[in-house]
Amino acid sequence: VIDEYPQANQSMQSALGGILELDKFVSSLKLGPNVRVLATGNRMQDKAGTTKQPSQIANRMLHIDIETSLDGWTDWALDAGIPIWLISFLRFRPALLNDFDPARRENPTERTWEMVGLLPKLPDLFAFTAMKGLVGEGAAAEAVGFKKIADTLPSVDAILINPKGAEVPTDPATRYALTGALASRADKDNFDGVMSYVGRLPPSFQTLTVKDAIRLNPHLASTKTAIRWFADNTGVTI
């Protein structure tokens, strides 16, 4: 893998041309037949310090533009231990997952949100300052506001004691935060209660809860509760 290949100057890109050819020569050495060469980096329009490719090098390469998605990032984030409140926030505000403007110093991107997720627990003022230094003031203000909602949610334990009678919020932000919290606490002993409560929410929130709960605890997919939910929601893909 030739990482950040477009940031090399044109003479260096040309020097690497032999590796990128089908014959894959490095000076007098030939790479083995099972070696695959990948060159990765940003595009010119991303304004990330890239250099225009020499045309003869560009003509030797298969170019693939990779696009990210919220679903892809959240699947990774659940496995990587990113805080549930942050995953729920970006589901609530998906446009902020990648809101990159090269004219800004700080930008909300998948990389900087990961860094937000790795921040230690800080007092509110310092937490906002640290977030602002990563994703910018506007995105940080929204994230801090959402986290305050997540921190004042009804007790998950209280909900599970009375899942059919516990109050169901109507505010979308609170719903995202609450379903994330329930999914993170779901296990084989309480999953029926979790789904009894979540079943009182719109289908999209039920789907998010089931998806996250199973992602965090794969054995839940074989429970009677999950099988029953899938049977009642045959058109849903997790």
Side-chain angles (χ1 to χ4, degrees), residues 143-214:
V144 168
F146 186 92
K147 189 174 187 306
K148 287 181 179 178
I149 293 173
D151 289 344
T152 58
L153 291 174
S155 164
V156 171
D157 292 326
I159 289 173
L160 294 177
I161 289 172
N162 184 21
K164 294 186 181 298
E167 182 179 355
V168 174
T170 58
D171 174 60
T174 306
R175 285 180 169 182
Y176 276 104
L178 187 55
T179 52
L182 286 165
S184 69
R185 287 280 304 277
D187 58 36
K188 62 181 180 63
D189 296 321
N190 65 23
F191 195 43
D192 190 58
V194 168
M195 293 311 299
S196 292
Y197 178 80
V198 172
R200 298 162 60 200
L201 290 168
S204 59
F205 290 98
Q206 297 178 38
T207 302
L208 287 177
T209 305
V210 172
K211 179 179 179 179
D212 287 357
I214 291 176

Side-chain angles (χ1 to χ4, degrees), residues 2-238:
I2 306 171
D3 195 20
E4 301 292 3
Y5 169 79
Q7 290 191 300
N9 59 37
Q10 287 197 345
S11 61
M12 178 59 74
Q13 290 188 30
S14 296
L16 291 167
I19 302 176
L20 298 169
E21 289 182 333
L22 291 177
D23 291 335
K24 291 182 287 193
F25 272 98
V26 182
S27 186
S28 61
L29 301 176
K30 182 177 173 62
L31 300 180
N34 294 323
V35 175
R36 299 292 180 266
V37 180
L38 301 177
T40 63
N42 293 99
R43 304 164 301 176
M44 289 288 291
Q45 61 264 40
D46 297 324
K47 298 183 179 180
T50 58
T51 304
K52 188 179 187 303
Q53 278 185 292
S55 58
Q56 78 275 16
I57 302 299
N59 192 240
R60 296 170 179 172
M61 302 174 71
L62 165 66
H63 296 88
I64 300 175
D65 291 328
I66 304 297
E67 295 187 3
T68 61
S69 70
L70 179 63
D71 285 344
W73 187 85
T74 53
D75 283 348
W76 166 84
L78 287 166
D79 290 339
I82 298 299
I84 289 295
W85 75 264
L86 183 54
I87 297 171
S88 298
F89 167 67
L90 289 169
R91 281 179 168 150
F92 175 60
R93 288 287 282 118
L96 290 178
L97 178 65
N98 276 304
D99 181 22
F100 181 78
D101 180 350
R104 294 193 301 244
R105 187 177 65 173
E106 298 90 9
N107 284 283
T109 65
E110 293 175 69
R111 179 187 290 120
T112 51
W113 285 122
E114 176 189 0
M115 296 166 72
V116 167
L118 296 174
L119 287 172
K121 185 173 177 59
L122 298 167
D124 288 348
L125 176 61
F126 294 112
F128 172 71
T129 301
M131 283 190 206
K132 182 174 72 170
L134 290 169
V135 298
E137 185 170 4
E142 289 195 48
V144 168
F146 186 92
K147 189 174 187 306
K148 287 181 179 178
I149 293 173
D151 289 344
T152 58
L153 291 174
S155 164
V156 171
D157 292 326
I159 289 173
L160 294 177
I161 289 172
N162 184 21
K164 294 186 181 298
E167 182 179 355
V168 174
T170 58
D171 174 60
T174 306
R175 285 180 169 182
Y176 276 104
L178 187 55
T179 52
L182 286 165
S184 69
R185 287 280 304 277
D187 58 36
K188 62 181 180 63
D189 296 321
N190 65 23
F191 195 43
D192 190 58
V194 168
M195 293 311 299
S196 292
Y197 178 80
V198 172
R200 298 162 60 200
L201 290 168
S204 59
F205 290 98
Q206 297 178 38
T207 302
L208 287 177
T209 305
V210 172
K211 179 179 179 179
D212 287 357
I214 291 176
R215 186 80 186 188
L216 292 167
N217 292 289
H219 66 275
L220 293 176
S222 60
T223 62
K224 291 181 179 179
T225 301
I227 293 170
R228 184 168 58 248
W229 187 87
F230 282 117
D232 293 339
N233 297 270
T234 53
V236 176
T237 301
I238 298 296

